[in-house]
Amino acid sequence: QVQLVESGGGLVQAGGSLRLSCAASGRTFSRITMGWFRQVPGKEREFVAAINWSSSSPYYVESVKGRFTISRDNAENTVYLQMNSLKPEDTAVYYCAGTLRYGSTKSGEYNYWGQGTQVTVSS
């Protein structure tokens, strides 16, 4: 069983940066794929980024490529999402999630979810 807690969200102006963290508890963190998703009211939860246990071949949704970077520190049981050049359309609740599936970009394939952290980007 894995428990996830996000932090680092907040209010930032367009063009600014935030670094989200997701602290995990449990004994399987180092062997699961971790992903970040985001959701706004009235819309489906959207895949943002994912990284496997060895940090190889990270995946990103097209709209964040070149701006966001996902990373993980298995020794600290933590996954990060560095968000640069933020845009108002990045405003959402961001969730971290975990799955035993390799390279998954589908929310339905993730088994463990954090409570979410709000990211608001102002114009």
Side-chain angles (χ1 to χ4, degrees):
Q1 187 175 16
V2 177
Q3 298 179 8
L4 307 175
V5 179
E6 302 98 332
S7 62
L11 176 64
V12 65
Q13 291 185 328
S17 298
L18 286 173
R19 191 187 195 194
L20 305 184
S21 298
C22 178
S25 62
R27 303 182 67 178
T28 61
F29 174 81
S30 64
R31 297 186 179 184
I32 64 175
T33 295
M34 295 296 298
W36 287 95
F37 295 79
R38 62 189 182 187
Q39 188 169 27
V40 299
K43 296 185 178 180
E44 297 295 316
R45 188 165 296 185
E46 176 189 25
F47 168 79
V48 177
I51 188 169
N52 66 23
W53 71 273
S54 63
S55 297
S56 62
S57 301
Y59 307 92
Y60 300 94
V61 67
E62 187 68 28
S63 62
V64 309
K65 288 182 178 178
R67 300 189 298 120
F68 291 11
T69 302
I70 187 171
S71 61
R72 68 190 294 166
D73 187 334
N74 291 338
E76 296 183 352
N77 289 347
T78 303
V79 63
Y80 305 95
L81 185 67
Q82 178 67 47
M83 304 185 294
N84 298 325
S85 301
L86 283 162
K87 304 175 181 180
E89 52 262 44
D90 295 318
T91 295
V93 176
Y94 283 70
Y95 299 88
C96 67
T99 180
L100 293 175
R101 289 184 174 269
Y102 178 86
S104 177
T105 62
K106 300 179 180 179
S107 62
E109 295 180 343
Y110 282 75
N111 307 108
Y112 307 103
W113 293 88
Q115 81 290 341
T117 185
Q118 177 71 47
V119 172
T120 302
V121 184
S122 62
S123 300

mmCIF file of all heavy atoms in Angstrom, residues 48-101:
data_model
loop_
_atom_site.group_PDB
_atom_site.id
_atom_site.type_symbol
_atom_site.label_atom_id
_atom_site.label_comp_id
_atom_site.label_asym_id
_atom_site.label_seq_id
_atom_site.Cartn_x
_atom_site.Cartn_y
_atom_site.Cartn_z
ATOM 1 N N VAL A 48 -0.303 14.527 -17.232
ATOM 2 C CA VAL A 48 0.711 15.567 -17.366
ATOM 3 C C VAL A 48 2.087 14.964 -17.614
ATOM 4 O O VAL A 48 2.759 15.315 -18.578
ATOM 5 C CB VAL A 48 0.756 16.476 -16.124
ATOM 6 C CG1 VAL A 48 1.869 17.514 -16.264
ATOM 7 C CG2 VAL A 48 -0.587 17.156 -15.913
ATOM 8 N N ALA A 49 2.521 14.065 -16.738
ATOM 9 C CA ALA A 49 3.857 13.494 -16.845
ATOM 10 C C ALA A 49 3.918 12.203 -16.058
ATOM 11 O O ALA A 49 3.152 11.993 -15.120
ATOM 12 C CB ALA A 49 4.916 14.474 -16.329
ATOM 13 N N ALA A 50 4.847 11.334 -16.431
ATOM 14 C CA ALA A 50 5.052 10.084 -15.714
ATOM 15 C C ALA A 50 6.517 9.683 -15.804
ATOM 16 O O ALA A 50 7.213 10.039 -16.758
ATOM 17 C CB ALA A 50 4.165 8.970 -16.271
ATOM 18 N N ILE A 51 6.951 8.914 -14.820
ATOM 19 C CA ILE A 51 8.331 8.456 -14.766
ATOM 20 C C ILE A 51 8.371 7.085 -14.108
ATOM 21 O O ILE A 51 7.672 6.844 -13.123
ATOM 22 C CB ILE A 51 9.214 9.484 -14.016
ATOM 23 C CG1 ILE A 51 10.693 9.129 -14.119
ATOM 24 C CG2 ILE A 51 8.770 9.613 -12.560
ATOM 25 C CD1 ILE A 51 11.594 10.257 -13.632
ATOM 26 N N ASN A 52 9.166 6.186 -14.656
ATOM 27 C CA ASN A 52 9.228 4.852 -14.086
ATOM 28 C C ASN A 52 10.197 4.800 -12.911
ATOM 29 O O ASN A 52 10.836 5.798 -12.567
ATOM 30 C CB ASN A 52 9.560 3.804 -15.156
ATOM 31 C CG ASN A 52 10.955 3.965 -15.747
ATOM 32 O OD1 ASN A 52 11.850 4.550 -15.136
ATOM 33 N ND2 ASN A 52 11.144 3.429 -16.945
ATOM 34 N N TRP A 53 10.324 3.641 -12.311
ATOM 35 C CA TRP A 53 11.096 3.528 -11.079
ATOM 36 C C TRP A 53 12.567 3.830 -11.255
ATOM 37 O O TRP A 53 13.227 4.268 -10.303
ATOM 38 C CB TRP A 53 10.916 2.130 -10.476
ATOM 39 C CG TRP A 53 11.595 1.039 -11.239
ATOM 40 C CD1 TRP A 53 11.098 0.333 -12.302
ATOM 41 C CD2 TRP A 53 12.907 0.522 -10.989
ATOM 42 N NE1 TRP A 53 12.017 -0.588 -12.732
ATOM 43 C CE2 TRP A 53 13.136 -0.496 -11.937
ATOM 44 C CE3 TRP A 53 13.896 0.817 -10.055
ATOM 45 C CZ2 TRP A 53 14.325 -1.215 -11.984
ATOM 46 C CZ3 TRP A 53 15.087 0.103 -10.102
ATOM 47 C CH2 TRP A 53 15.286 -0.902 -11.054
ATOM 48 N N SER A 54 13.102 3.616 -12.445
ATOM 49 C CA SER A 54 14.513 3.874 -12.712
ATOM 50 C C SER A 54 14.759 5.250 -13.311
ATOM 51 O O SER A 54 15.880 5.573 -13.675
ATOM 52 C CB SER A 54 15.074 2.810 -13.644
ATOM 53 O OG SER A 54 14.441 2.845 -14.909
ATOM 54 N N SER A 55 13.713 6.064 -13.439
ATOM 55 C CA SER A 55 13.777 7.424 -13.977
ATOM 56 C C SER A 55 14.149 7.474 -15.449
ATOM 57 O O SER A 55 14.605 8.507 -15.938
ATOM 58 C CB SER A 55 14.747 8.290 -13.164
ATOM 59 O OG SER A 55 14.303 8.424 -11.834
ATOM 60 N N SER A 56 13.961 6.386 -16.163
ATOM 61 C CA SER A 56 14.234 6.362 -17.585
ATOM 62 C C SER A 56 12.972 6.703 -18.376
ATOM 63 O O SER A 56 11.858 6.464 -17.922
ATOM 64 C CB SER A 56 14.751 4.993 -18.016
ATOM 65 O OG SER A 56 13.786 3.985 -17.788
ATOM 66 N N SER A 57 13.164 7.285 -19.543
ATOM 67 C CA SER A 57 12.087 7.553 -20.498
ATOM 68 C C SER A 57 10.870 8.222 -19.875
ATOM 69 O O SER A 57 9.767 7.658 -19.876
ATOM 70 C CB SER A 57 11.671 6.251 -21.187
ATOM 71 O OG SER A 57 12.757 5.657 -21.864
ATOM 72 N N PRO A 58 11.017 9.413 -19.333
ATOM 73 C CA PRO A 58 9.835 10.109 -18.827
ATOM 74 C C PRO A 58 8.882 10.481 -19.956
ATOM 75 O O PRO A 58 9.293 10.666 -21.106
ATOM 76 C CB PRO A 58 10.414 11.356 -18.156
ATOM 77 C CG PRO A 58 11.709 11.596 -18.871
ATOM 78 C CD PRO A 58 12.240 10.232 -19.195
ATOM 79 N N TYR A 59 7.616 10.602 -19.623
ATOM 80 C CA TYR A 59 6.579 10.924 -20.593
ATOM 81 C C TYR A 59 5.904 12.228 -20.207
ATOM 82 O O TYR A 59 5.704 12.502 -19.022
ATOM 83 C CB TYR A 59 5.530 9.811 -20.657
ATOM 84 C CG TYR A 59 6.089 8.432 -20.891
ATOM 85 C CD1 TYR A 59 6.413 7.607 -19.820
ATOM 86 C CD2 TYR A 59 6.287 7.952 -22.176
ATOM 87 C CE1 TYR A 59 6.929 6.343 -20.019
ATOM 88 C CE2 TYR A 59 6.804 6.680 -22.388
ATOM 89 C CZ TYR A 59 7.125 5.881 -21.310
ATOM 90 O OH TYR A 59 7.640 4.616 -21.513
ATOM 91 N N TYR A 60 5.524 13.019 -21.214
ATOM 92 C CA TYR A 60 4.870 14.295 -20.974
ATOM 93 C C TYR A 60 3.737 14.506 -21.969
ATOM 94 O O TYR A 60 3.833 14.102 -23.134
ATOM 95 C CB TYR A 60 5.846 15.465 -21.117
ATOM 96 C CG TYR A 60 7.017 15.433 -20.177
ATOM 97 C CD1 TYR A 60 8.221 14.869 -20.560
ATOM 98 C CD2 TYR A 60 6.913 15.982 -18.904
ATOM 99 C CE1 TYR A 60 9.306 14.842 -19.699
ATOM 100 C CE2 TYR A 60 7.993 15.961 -18.035
ATOM 101 C CZ TYR A 60 9.189 15.386 -18.438
ATOM 102 O OH TYR A 60 10.265 15.361 -17.579
ATOM 103 N N VAL A 61 2.700 15.176 -21.503
ATOM 104 C CA VAL A 61 1.697 15.631 -22.435
ATOM 105 C C VAL A 61 2.314 16.741 -23.285
ATOM 106 O O VAL A 61 3.183 17.490 -22.817
ATOM 107 C CB VAL A 61 0.435 16.123 -21.692
ATOM 108 C CG1 VAL A 61 0.725 17.379 -20.888
ATOM 109 C CG2 VAL A 61 -0.721 16.329 -22.647
ATOM 110 N N GLU A 62 1.895 16.839 -24.529
ATOM 111 C CA GLU A 62 2.526 17.751 -25.471
ATOM 112 C C GLU A 62 2.544 19.193 -24.970
ATOM 113 O O GLU A 62 3.523 19.913 -25.177
ATOM 114 C CB GLU A 62 1.826 17.673 -26.828
ATOM 115 C CG GLU A 62 2.506 18.460 -27.935
ATOM 116 C CD GLU A 62 3.837 17.870 -28.316
ATOM 117 O OE1 GLU A 62 4.023 16.646 -28.156
ATOM 118 O OE2 GLU A 62 4.709 18.627 -28.792
ATOM 119 N N SER A 63 1.503 19.607 -24.289
ATOM 120 C CA SER A 63 1.377 20.999 -23.893
ATOM 121 C C SER A 63 2.387 21.443 -22.832
ATOM 122 O O SER A 63 2.565 22.646 -22.621
ATOM 123 C CB SER A 63 -0.042 21.274 -23.382
ATOM 124 O OG SER A 63 -0.333 20.493 -22.242
ATOM 125 N N VAL A 64 3.050 20.503 -22.164
ATOM 126 C CA VAL A 64 4.010 20.873 -21.128
ATOM 127 C C VAL A 64 5.440 20.531 -21.503
ATOM 128 O O VAL A 64 6.366 20.853 -20.741
ATOM 129 C CB VAL A 64 3.664 20.232 -19.769
ATOM 130 C CG1 VAL A 64 2.213 20.495 -19.411
ATOM 131 C CG2 VAL A 64 3.962 18.736 -19.771
ATOM 132 N N LYS A 65 5.659 19.913 -22.642
ATOM 133 C CA LYS A 65 7.009 19.549 -23.049
ATOM 134 C C LYS A 65 7.884 20.790 -23.165
ATOM 135 O O LYS A 65 7.490 21.797 -23.737
ATOM 136 C CB LYS A 65 6.983 18.800 -24.382
ATOM 137 C CG LYS A 65 6.442 17.396 -24.290
ATOM 138 C CD LYS A 65 6.484 16.685 -25.645
ATOM 139 C CE LYS A 65 5.984 15.264 -25.526
ATOM 140 N NZ LYS A 65 5.981 14.568 -26.841
ATOM 141 N N GLY A 66 9.075 20.692 -22.608
ATOM 142 C CA GLY A 66 9.991 21.809 -22.612
ATOM 143 C C GLY A 66 9.806 22.770 -21.462
ATOM 144 O O GLY A 66 10.658 23.634 -21.241
ATOM 145 N N ARG A 67 8.702 22.640 -20.730
ATOM 146 C CA ARG A 67 8.420 23.514 -19.600
ATOM 147 C C ARG A 67 8.420 22.770 -18.269
ATOM 148 O O ARG A 67 8.862 23.312 -17.261
ATOM 149 C CB ARG A 67 7.075 24.214 -19.776
ATOM 150 C CG ARG A 67 6.994 25.089 -21.021
ATOM 151 C CD ARG A 67 5.720 25.929 -21.023
ATOM 152 N NE ARG A 67 4.517 25.097 -21.040
ATOM 153 C CZ ARG A 67 3.579 25.108 -20.092
ATOM 154 N NH1 ARG A 67 3.708 25.923 -19.049
ATOM 155 N NH2 ARG A 67 2.510 24.333 -20.195
ATOM 156 N N PHE A 68 7.910 21.548 -18.258
ATOM 157 C CA PHE A 68 7.805 20.760 -17.038
ATOM 158 C C PHE A 68 8.834 19.640 -17.055
ATOM 159 O O PHE A 68 9.153 19.081 -18.113
ATOM 160 C CB PHE A 68 6.419 20.129 -16.904
ATOM 161 C CG PHE A 68 5.296 21.095 -16.637
ATOM 162 C CD1 PHE A 68 5.464 22.465 -16.741
ATOM 163 C CD2 PHE A 68 4.051 20.605 -16.277
ATOM 164 C CE1 PHE A 68 4.425 23.342 -16.498
ATOM 165 C CE2 PHE A 68 2.997 21.469 -16.027
ATOM 166 C CZ PHE A 68 3.176 22.833 -16.133
ATOM 167 N N THR A 69 9.325 19.282 -15.886
ATOM 168 C CA THR A 69 10.246 18.175 -15.734
ATOM 169 C C THR A 69 9.826 17.328 -14.547
ATOM 170 O O THR A 69 9.678 17.841 -13.434
ATOM 171 C CB THR A 69 11.687 18.658 -15.529
ATOM 172 O OG1 THR A 69 12.097 19.471 -16.633
ATOM 173 C CG2 THR A 69 12.633 17.462 -15.420
ATOM 174 N N ILE A 70 9.642 16.044 -14.787
ATOM 175 C CA ILE A 70 9.329 15.121 -13.710
ATOM 176 C C ILE A 70 10.606 14.406 -13.287
ATOM 177 O O ILE A 70 11.443 14.067 -14.114
ATOM 178 C CB ILE A 70 8.238 14.113 -14.132
ATOM 179 C CG1 ILE A 70 7.796 13.272 -12.936
ATOM 180 C CG2 ILE A 70 8.701 13.238 -15.288
ATOM 181 C CD1 ILE A 70 6.571 12.403 -13.221
ATOM 182 N N SER A 71 10.753 14.198 -12.004
ATOM 183 C CA SER A 71 11.905 13.488 -11.483
ATOM 184 C C SER A 71 11.501 12.773 -10.205
ATOM 185 O O SER A 71 10.433 13.035 -9.644
ATOM 186 C CB SER A 71 13.081 14.440 -11.223
ATOM 187 O OG SER A 71 12.739 15.417 -10.256
ATOM 188 N N ARG A 72 12.348 11.879 -9.755
ATOM 189 C CA ARG A 72 12.055 11.171 -8.514
ATOM 190 C C ARG A 72 13.343 10.875 -7.770
ATOM 191 O O ARG A 72 14.406 10.724 -8.365
ATOM 192 C CB ARG A 72 11.261 9.887 -8.778
ATOM 193 C CG ARG A 72 12.026 8.799 -9.520
ATOM 194 C CD ARG A 72 11.100 7.666 -9.960
ATOM 195 N NE ARG A 72 10.532 6.937 -8.837
ATOM 196 C CZ ARG A 72 9.501 6.093 -8.927
ATOM 197 N NH1 ARG A 72 8.912 5.901 -10.117
ATOM 198 N NH2 ARG A 72 9.062 5.457 -7.854
ATOM 199 N N ASP A 73 13.217 10.789 -6.477
ATOM 200 C CA ASP A 73 14.319 10.422 -5.608
ATOM 201 C C ASP A 73 13.825 9.249 -4.780
ATOM 202 O O ASP A 73 13.103 9.432 -3.800
ATOM 203 C CB ASP A 73 14.734 11.587 -4.723
ATOM 204 C CG ASP A 73 15.982 11.297 -3.916
ATOM 205 O OD1 ASP A 73 16.260 10.116 -3.632
ATOM 206 O OD2 ASP A 73 16.692 12.255 -3.561
ATOM 207 N N ASN A 74 14.201 8.062 -5.194
ATOM 208 C CA ASN A 74 13.699 6.876 -4.520
ATOM 209 C C ASN A 74 14.202 6.762 -3.085
ATOM 210 O O ASN A 74 13.515 6.203 -2.233
ATOM 211 C CB ASN A 74 14.077 5.627 -5.317
ATOM 212 C CG ASN A 74 13.342 5.538 -6.635
ATOM 213 O OD1 ASN A 74 12.281 6.141 -6.823
ATOM 214 N ND2 ASN A 74 13.903 4.775 -7.575
ATOM 215 N N ALA A 75 15.397 7.283 -2.825
ATOM 216 C CA ALA A 75 15.925 7.251 -1.471
ATOM 217 C C ALA A 75 15.077 8.086 -0.523
ATOM 218 O O ALA A 75 14.992 7.784 0.669
ATOM 219 C CB ALA A 75 17.373 7.726 -1.450
ATOM 220 N N GLU A 76 14.467 9.149 -1.047
ATOM 221 C CA GLU A 76 13.606 10.010 -0.241
ATOM 222 C C GLU A 76 12.129 9.697 -0.420
ATOM 223 O O GLU A 76 11.287 10.371 0.181
ATOM 224 C CB GLU A 76 13.863 11.472 -0.586
ATOM 225 C CG GLU A 76 15.271 11.951 -0.263
ATOM 226 C CD GLU A 76 15.469 13.414 -0.560
ATOM 227 O OE1 GLU A 76 14.562 14.037 -1.152
ATOM 228 O OE2 GLU A 76 16.531 13.947 -0.185
ATOM 229 N N ASN A 77 11.814 8.710 -1.247
ATOM 230 C CA ASN A 77 10.425 8.354 -1.527
ATOM 231 C C ASN A 77 9.618 9.558 -1.991
ATOM 232 O O ASN A 77 8.498 9.801 -1.524
ATOM 233 C CB ASN A 77 9.766 7.720 -0.301
ATOM 234 C CG ASN A 77 10.290 6.339 -0.001
ATOM 235 O OD1 ASN A 77 10.978 5.717 -0.806
ATOM 236 N ND2 ASN A 77 9.961 5.835 1.186
ATOM 237 N N THR A 78 10.192 10.313 -2.913
ATOM 238 C CA THR A 78 9.576 11.558 -3.353
ATOM 239 C C THR A 78 9.656 11.692 -4.869
ATOM 240 O O THR A 78 10.680 11.366 -5.475
ATOM 241 C CB THR A 78 10.256 12.763 -2.698
ATOM 242 O OG1 THR A 78 10.200 12.630 -1.268
ATOM 243 C CG2 THR A 78 9.559 14.057 -3.092
ATOM 244 N N VAL A 79 8.582 12.169 -5.462
ATOM 245 C CA VAL A 79 8.554 12.505 -6.875
ATOM 246 C C VAL A 79 8.289 13.999 -6.998
ATOM 247 O O VAL A 79 7.568 14.576 -6.182
ATOM 248 C CB VAL A 79 7.497 11.670 -7.636
ATOM 249 C CG1 VAL A 79 6.093 11.969 -7.134
ATOM 250 C CG2 VAL A 79 7.600 11.918 -9.135
ATOM 251 N N TYR A 80 8.882 14.620 -8.005
ATOM 252 C CA TYR A 80 8.792 16.059 -8.180
ATOM 253 C C TYR A 80 8.248 16.397 -9.557
ATOM 254 O O TYR A 80 8.395 15.653 -10.513
ATOM 255 C CB TYR A 80 10.168 16.716 -8.032
ATOM 256 C CG TYR A 80 10.877 16.398 -6.750
ATOM 257 C CD1 TYR A 80 11.805 15.364 -6.679
ATOM 258 C CD2 TYR A 80 10.634 17.141 -5.599
ATOM 259 C CE1 TYR A 80 12.466 15.072 -5.502
ATOM 260 C CE2 TYR A 80 11.283 16.859 -4.418
ATOM 261 C CZ TYR A 80 12.201 15.823 -4.373
ATOM 262 O OH TYR A 80 12.855 15.536 -3.190
ATOM 263 N N LEU A 81 7.644 17.558 -9.644
ATOM 264 C CA LEU A 81 7.269 18.128 -10.920
ATOM 265 C C LEU A 81 7.724 19.579 -10.929
ATOM 266 O O LEU A 81 7.122 20.425 -10.264
ATOM 267 C CB LEU A 81 5.762 18.044 -11.163
ATOM 268 C CG LEU A 81 5.301 18.513 -12.546
ATOM 269 C CD1 LEU A 81 5.811 17.567 -13.626
ATOM 270 C CD2 LEU A 81 3.786 18.629 -12.604
ATOM 271 N N GLN A 82 8.802 19.847 -11.643
ATOM 272 C CA GLN A 82 9.290 21.204 -11.806
ATOM 273 C C GLN A 82 8.538 21.851 -12.946
ATOM 274 O O GLN A 82 8.572 21.351 -14.075
ATOM 275 C CB GLN A 82 10.792 21.198 -12.095
ATOM 276 C CG GLN A 82 11.390 22.584 -12.323
ATOM 277 C CD GLN A 82 11.365 23.444 -11.091
ATOM 278 O OE1 GLN A 82 11.738 22.981 -10.007
ATOM 279 N NE2 GLN A 82 10.911 24.679 -11.219
ATOM 280 N N MET A 83 7.861 22.943 -12.671
ATOM 281 C CA MET A 83 7.029 23.618 -13.655
ATOM 282 C C MET A 83 7.587 25.008 -13.896
ATOM 283 O O MET A 83 7.592 25.851 -12.997
ATOM 284 C CB MET A 83 5.579 23.697 -13.179
ATOM 285 C CG MET A 83 4.973 22.341 -12.827
ATOM 286 S SD MET A 83 3.213 22.448 -12.396
ATOM 287 C CE MET A 83 3.324 23.412 -10.877
ATOM 288 N N ASN A 84 8.050 25.240 -15.104
ATOM 289 C CA ASN A 84 8.599 26.526 -15.499
ATOM 290 C C ASN A 84 7.719 27.150 -16.573
ATOM 291 O O ASN A 84 6.923 26.476 -17.220
ATOM 292 C CB ASN A 84 10.023 26.366 -16.026
ATOM 293 C CG ASN A 84 10.984 25.816 -15.008
ATOM 294 O OD1 ASN A 84 10.887 26.110 -13.817
ATOM 295 N ND2 ASN A 84 11.943 25.017 -15.467
ATOM 296 N N SER A 85 7.898 28.443 -16.774
ATOM 297 C CA SER A 85 7.148 29.173 -17.795
ATOM 298 C C SER A 85 5.660 28.888 -17.700
ATOM 299 O O SER A 85 4.989 28.592 -18.695
ATOM 300 C CB SER A 85 7.679 28.816 -19.189
ATOM 301 O OG SER A 85 9.052 29.122 -19.310
ATOM 302 N N LEU A 86 5.127 28.982 -16.507
ATOM 303 C CA LEU A 86 3.732 28.638 -16.280
ATOM 304 C C LEU A 86 2.791 29.575 -17.018
ATOM 305 O O LEU A 86 3.061 30.772 -17.159
ATOM 306 C CB LEU A 86 3.429 28.654 -14.786
ATOM 307 C CG LEU A 86 3.939 27.422 -14.037
ATOM 308 C CD1 LEU A 86 3.998 27.693 -12.537
ATOM 309 C CD2 LEU A 86 3.044 26.219 -14.322
ATOM 310 N N LYS A 87 1.693 29.002 -17.470
ATOM 311 C CA LYS A 87 0.672 29.723 -18.207
ATOM 312 C C LYS A 87 -0.654 29.641 -17.461
ATOM 313 O O LYS A 87 -0.882 28.694 -16.705
ATOM 314 C CB LYS A 87 0.500 29.121 -19.605
ATOM 315 C CG LYS A 87 1.774 29.054 -20.429
ATOM 316 C CD LYS A 87 1.523 28.322 -21.736
ATOM 317 C CE LYS A 87 2.792 28.227 -22.566
ATOM 318 N NZ LYS A 87 2.555 27.503 -23.844
ATOM 319 N N PRO A 88 -1.548 30.595 -17.673
ATOM 320 C CA PRO A 88 -2.852 30.510 -17.011
ATOM 321 C C PRO A 88 -3.576 29.194 -17.276
ATOM 322 O O PRO A 88 -4.288 28.704 -16.393
ATOM 323 C CB PRO A 88 -3.618 31.702 -17.604
ATOM 324 C CG PRO A 88 -2.547 32.695 -17.908
ATOM 325 C CD PRO A 88 -1.383 31.867 -18.391
ATOM 326 N N GLU A 89 -3.408 28.614 -18.443
ATOM 327 C CA GLU A 89 -4.058 27.354 -18.755
ATOM 328 C C GLU A 89 -3.494 26.173 -17.985
ATOM 329 O O GLU A 89 -4.048 25.069 -18.055
ATOM 330 C CB GLU A 89 -4.017 27.063 -20.266
ATOM 331 C CG GLU A 89 -2.629 27.167 -20.870
ATOM 332 C CD GLU A 89 -2.382 28.503 -21.541
ATOM 333 O OE1 GLU A 89 -2.751 29.538 -20.951
ATOM 334 O OE2 GLU A 89 -1.829 28.521 -22.655
ATOM 335 N N ASP A 90 -2.399 26.375 -17.254
ATOM 336 C CA ASP A 90 -1.880 25.343 -16.373
ATOM 337 C C ASP A 90 -2.620 25.294 -15.044
ATOM 338 O O ASP A 90 -2.384 24.385 -14.246
ATOM 339 C CB ASP A 90 -0.387 25.562 -16.099
ATOM 340 C CG ASP A 90 0.470 25.407 -17.345
ATOM 341 O OD1 ASP A 90 0.222 24.474 -18.136
ATOM 342 O OD2 ASP A 90 1.401 26.217 -17.525
ATOM 343 N N THR A 91 -3.479 26.254 -14.794
ATOM 344 C CA THR A 91 -4.236 26.291 -13.552
ATOM 345 C C THR A 91 -5.093 25.043 -13.415
ATOM 346 O O THR A 91 -5.873 24.712 -14.310
ATOM 347 C CB THR A 91 -5.117 27.543 -13.505
ATOM 348 O OG1 THR A 91 -4.294 28.707 -13.477
ATOM 349 C CG2 THR A 91 -6.003 27.536 -12.263
ATOM 350 N N ALA A 92 -4.940 24.350 -12.307
ATOM 351 C CA ALA A 92 -5.670 23.106 -12.068
ATOM 352 C C ALA A 92 -5.307 22.584 -10.693
ATOM 353 O O ALA A 92 -4.384 23.081 -10.040
ATOM 354 C CB ALA A 92 -5.321 22.061 -13.135
ATOM 355 N N VAL A 93 -6.030 21.567 -10.276
ATOM 356 C CA VAL A 93 -5.607 20.773 -9.137
ATOM 357 C C VAL A 93 -4.691 19.682 -9.667
ATOM 358 O O VAL A 93 -5.063 18.943 -10.579
ATOM 359 C CB VAL A 93 -6.795 20.155 -8.385
ATOM 360 C CG1 VAL A 93 -6.301 19.250 -7.256
ATOM 361 C CG2 VAL A 93 -7.696 21.250 -7.824
ATOM 362 N N TYR A 94 -3.507 19.594 -9.119
ATOM 363 C CA TYR A 94 -2.524 18.617 -9.559
ATOM 364 C C TYR A 94 -2.475 17.447 -8.587
ATOM 365 O O TYR A 94 -2.412 17.634 -7.372
ATOM 366 C CB TYR A 94 -1.144 19.260 -9.673
ATOM 367 C CG TYR A 94 -0.989 20.103 -10.907
ATOM 368 C CD1 TYR A 94 -1.664 21.311 -11.035
ATOM 369 C CD2 TYR A 94 -0.179 19.686 -11.969
ATOM 370 C CE1 TYR A 94 -1.544 22.079 -12.180
ATOM 371 C CE2 TYR A 94 -0.052 20.455 -13.112
ATOM 372 C CZ TYR A 94 -0.735 21.647 -13.212
ATOM 373 O OH TYR A 94 -0.602 22.411 -14.359
ATOM 374 N N TYR A 95 -2.492 16.252 -9.143
ATOM 375 C CA TYR A 95 -2.469 15.028 -8.363
ATOM 376 C C TYR A 95 -1.247 14.196 -8.734
ATOM 377 O O TYR A 95 -0.905 14.074 -9.910
ATOM 378 C CB TYR A 95 -3.711 14.173 -8.636
ATOM 379 C CG TYR A 95 -5.030 14.829 -8.292
ATOM 380 C CD1 TYR A 95 -5.697 15.618 -9.216
ATOM 381 C CD2 TYR A 95 -5.612 14.631 -7.046
ATOM 382 C CE1 TYR A 95 -6.910 16.207 -8.913
ATOM 383 C CE2 TYR A 95 -6.832 15.208 -6.738
ATOM 384 C CZ TYR A 95 -7.473 15.996 -7.670
ATOM 385 O OH TYR A 95 -8.680 16.574 -7.371
ATOM 386 N N CYS A 96 -0.618 13.616 -7.750
ATOM 387 C CA CYS A 96 0.373 12.597 -8.043
ATOM 388 C C CYS A 96 -0.276 11.237 -7.871
ATOM 389 O O CYS A 96 -1.245 11.073 -7.125
ATOM 390 C CB CYS A 96 1.626 12.734 -7.167
ATOM 391 S SG CYS A 96 1.395 12.411 -5.405
ATOM 392 N N ALA A 97 0.248 10.268 -8.583
ATOM 393 C CA ALA A 97 -0.359 8.949 -8.596
ATOM 394 C C ALA A 97 0.700 7.893 -8.869
ATOM 395 O O ALA A 97 1.759 8.184 -9.419
ATOM 396 C CB ALA A 97 -1.457 8.876 -9.660
ATOM 397 N N GLY A 98 0.384 6.669 -8.493
ATOM 398 C CA GLY A 98 1.297 5.565 -8.706
ATOM 399 C C GLY A 98 0.601 4.367 -9.320
ATOM 400 O O GLY A 98 -0.584 4.136 -9.100
ATOM 401 N N THR A 99 1.365 3.603 -10.098
ATOM 402 C CA THR A 99 0.854 2.395 -10.733
ATOM 403 C C THR A 99 1.976 1.386 -10.906
ATOM 404 O O THR A 99 3.145 1.765 -11.030
ATOM 405 C CB THR A 99 0.233 2.700 -12.108
ATOM 406 O OG1 THR A 99 -0.246 1.493 -12.703
ATOM 407 C CG2 THR A 99 1.253 3.338 -13.051
ATOM 408 N N LEU A 100 1.618 0.128 -10.915
ATOM 409 C CA LEU A 100 2.580 -0.927 -11.204
ATOM 410 C C LEU A 100 2.810 -1.091 -12.695
ATOM 411 O O LEU A 100 3.753 -1.780 -13.104
ATOM 412 C CB LEU A 100 2.125 -2.251 -10.602
ATOM 413 C CG LEU A 100 2.090 -2.331 -9.071
ATOM 414 C CD1 LEU A 100 1.503 -3.662 -8.628
ATOM 415 C CD2 LEU A 100 3.488 -2.145 -8.501
ATOM 416 N N ARG A 101 1.978 -0.472 -13.517
ATOM 417 C CA ARG A 101 2.139 -0.553 -14.960
ATOM 418 C C ARG A 101 3.278 0.329 -15.430
ATOM 419 O O ARG A 101 3.416 1.465 -15.000
ATOM 420 C CB ARG A 101 0.846 -0.164 -15.668
ATOM 421 C CG ARG A 101 -0.266 -1.175 -15.543
ATOM 422 C CD ARG A 101 -1.475 -0.762 -16.357
ATOM 423 N NE ARG A 101 -2.493 -1.781 -16.363
ATOM 424 C CZ ARG A 101 -2.582 -2.749 -17.270
ATOM 425 N NH1 ARG A 101 -1.699 -2.813 -18.255
ATOM 426 N NH2 ARG A 101 -3.549 -3.647 -17.187
#
